[in-house]
Amino acid sequence: MEFEESGIGEECGVFGCLAAGEWPTQLEVAQIITLGLVALQHRGQESAGIVTSNGSSPPTYTTLKGMGLVSTAFKPEDMLKLRYGNLGIGHTRYSTTGMSELQNCQPFVVDTLHGRIAVAHNGELFNAAALRRKVMRHGVGLSTSSDSELITQLLCLTPPMEEVDNPDWVARIKNLMTLTPTSYSLLIMHKDVIYAVRDPYGNRPLCIGRLVPISKLHSSGGGEGDTEGWVVSSESCSFQSIGAKYYCEVRPGEIVQISKHGVKSLNIIPRPEGDPPAFCIFEYVYFARPDSIFEGQMVYTVRQRCGRQLAIEAPTDADVVSTVPESATPAALGYAQESGLPYVEVLCKNRYVGRTFIQPDTRLRQLGVAKKFGALTDNFAGKRVVLVDDSIVRGNTISPIIKLLKEAGATEVHIRVASPPIRFPCYMGINIPTKEELIANRPEFKDLANYLGATSVHYLSVEGLVTAVQSGIEPYENEQISSSSKTSRKLGHCTACLTGKYPIELEW
């Protein structure tokens, strides 16, 4: 919960849709993209955009962008402009680079020598400054401060060995991936195809779903002949609301082509020097919706395992286990299962109070957390409480909650944190407070329980988190779009914000 209060945010969510079969399609491509973006709203709330195309030659592109939530960014009358699209891509934004303004809203559309392209991007380029200089040396001006426009312009550069009149978009994408190995998941729309691209380290997520008739949505089996369209998304949680079945995950370094004829893996770009993959481990901890699937496992299940591991590492004598609503609930349930303690709710959250709540006088400011939570006193009065949270970032949020519970009758409050302490900045698309603001780097951390007013405080270890995440990943994968044979899955996750060990050497 404190991730939310501390302003830690994921950069973006991307979503694309392409109709299968004959065009023009009867599939409501723009509506499907809108619903997909709504399901990804937790990944960004600053702005949203959609670009659709009829896929003809030359194609007609239609763009719709707006500030705020998807529900307010797209007006019904404006959506009518998109209704003739046979394919399209969309984006919902949380900025880590670039100001929060309409000009930085994605997808970006540019004209090239070989036709118009549209690009949507999730992530942050680790070497953006050097790449901006490279683009400008080619005489290209940049109109925004966004990494995503930079990616678009890099795709426009002619790669080595390309013939003037025969554009090779796969070569262009490969050239981009060589210039910047992380961090990005990309949707690139050109003519009648969408390219789904994931960086070689797999730092940001991306997966593909298959749109099927509603009557066959929950049935097993069924071939691709039932396919009404294809969707690609930052998270699989978006598939349920649009009638799509999970098809596969885009692998690290993979370039996938999606057309009305199907899905085809074109290439996999290897990581430099055989490095392990570096999928962001905080997708599991906090950023992703719990019903999403990464690396063949559901996020909710991973969070439960984190709670179980936390109970093994930091047991305590207590009477009940509870959670700070709501993101830490799976971990709290896992802690309760492993410890044998009953799980109860101790806090009731008021969902209609946001961070911008105005506190007009001293008395209301002193009430602090009471505006956001109510204590369910009958569940814990006179008892020792283990309270599980997903984070303690600055320490500003949990302390008033502890005070509230003690004043409401808890005899002890033991804080258990289902992630390790955050100590370092992220340069790959996550907005983290400055190093000095993080409680783990401040003197108070040495006696955190006393500082917060808790009976005890324990974090999950880095090793425990990695174990909880990786223990559920199958050692082999059978990728439908590339090979029928099983290949070894190499494990690896980015823990840089916890350990200071970045997957690649940073460039400034």
Side-chain angles (χ1 to χ4, degrees), residues 304-342:
Q304 275 192 312
R305 287 203 299 269
C306 287
R308 287 181 175 274
Q309 183 66 28
L310 184 58
I312 293 170
E313 293 183 5
T316 189
D317 291 328
D319 302 306
V320 296
V321 176
S322 193
T323 182
V324 180
E326 298 167 339
S327 55
T329 299
L333 288 168
Y335 191 101
Q337 291 163 359
E338 184 66 32
S339 65
L341 297 172

Side-chain angles (χ1 to χ4, degrees), residues 119-150:
V119 178
H121 165 229
N122 167 220
E124 184 176 354
L125 303 185
F126 84 103
N127 58 342
L131 291 175
R132 291 180 76 85
R133 291 192 295 269
K134 178 181 179 67
V135 167
M136 289 178 176
R137 279 198 298 268
H138 280 79
V140 176
L142 297 170
S143 59
T144 76
S145 54
S146 170
D147 282 359
S148 308
E149 186 198 13
L150 181 57

Side-chain angles (χ1 to χ4, degrees), residues 412-469:
E412 296 178 1
V413 179
H414 299 270
I415 300 299
R416 296 295 180 266
V417 187
S419 65
I422 299 175
R423 300 178 183 273
F424 302 93
C426 174
Y427 302 105
M428 304 196 184
I430 307 301
N431 181 32
I432 290 179
T434 61
K435 196 171 182 180
E436 293 73 25
E437 290 179 277
L438 298 170
I439 189 70
N441 296 326
R442 287 161 50 186
E444 295 88 344
F445 192 72
K446 295 179 180 178
D447 189 9
L448 190 56
N450 182 59
Y451 175 74
L452 298 176
T455 309
S456 66
V457 178
H458 287 282
Y459 286 81
L460 181 64
S461 67
V462 175
E463 296 76 16
L465 173 59
V466 172
T467 297
V469 168

Side-chain angles (χ1 to χ4, degrees), residues 20 42 61 93 190 296 301 307 328 341 435 492 495:
H42 59 287
Y61 280 47
R93 184 170 189 262
H190 178 249
T301 304
L341 297 172
K435 196 171 182 180
T495 61

Side-chain angles (χ1 to χ4, degrees), residues 9-174:
E10 232 282 336
E11 187 177 3
C12 304
V14 297
F15 190 92
C17 177
L18 186 146
E22 295 299 319
W23 290 353
T25 182
Q26 298 300 309
L27 200 67
E28 295 285 351
V29 169
Q31 293 291 345
I32 289 171
I33 295 173
T34 301
L35 290 173
L37 293 178
V38 168
L40 298 176
Q41 192 75 86
H42 59 287
R43 300 183 75 86
Q45 302 88 43
E46 292 185 3
S47 64
I50 295 177
V51 177
T52 61
S53 170
N54 59 4
S56 60
S57 186
T60 299
Y61 280 47
T62 307
T63 301
L64 181 60
K65 297 181 180 181
M67 300 300 295
L69 301 178
V70 174
S71 58
T72 58
F74 305 147
K75 295 181 174 60
E77 59 269 25
D78 293 330
M79 289 292 296
L80 294 175
K81 303 173 186 175
L82 305 175
R83 66 184 182 276
Y84 299 117
N86 294 311
L87 68 163
I89 60 176
H91 186 273
T92 184
R93 184 170 189 262
Y94 179 100
S95 61
T96 57
T97 62
M99 298 295 291
S100 177
E101 52 195 20
L102 192 59
Q103 71 171 7
N104 284 323
C105 181
Q106 298 184 46
F108 286 113
V109 179
V110 297
D111 289 310
T112 75
L113 280 174
H114 308 292
R116 184 170 288 185
I117 63 169
V119 178
H121 165 229
N122 167 220
E124 184 176 354
L125 303 185
F126 84 103
N127 58 342
L131 291 175
R132 291 180 76 85
R133 291 192 295 269
K134 178 181 179 67
V135 167
M136 289 178 176
R137 279 198 298 268
H138 280 79
V140 176
L142 297 170
S143 59
T144 76
S145 54
S146 170
D147 282 359
S148 308
E149 186 198 13
L150 181 57
I151 288 172
T152 306
Q153 295 296 346
L154 287 167
L155 287 169
C156 295
L157 298 180
T158 302
M161 308 304 291
E162 182 183 284
E163 296 178 12
V164 174
D165 297 322
N166 186 25
D168 186 342
W169 286 99
V170 176
R172 288 171 178 238
I173 295 169
K174 290 170 65 176

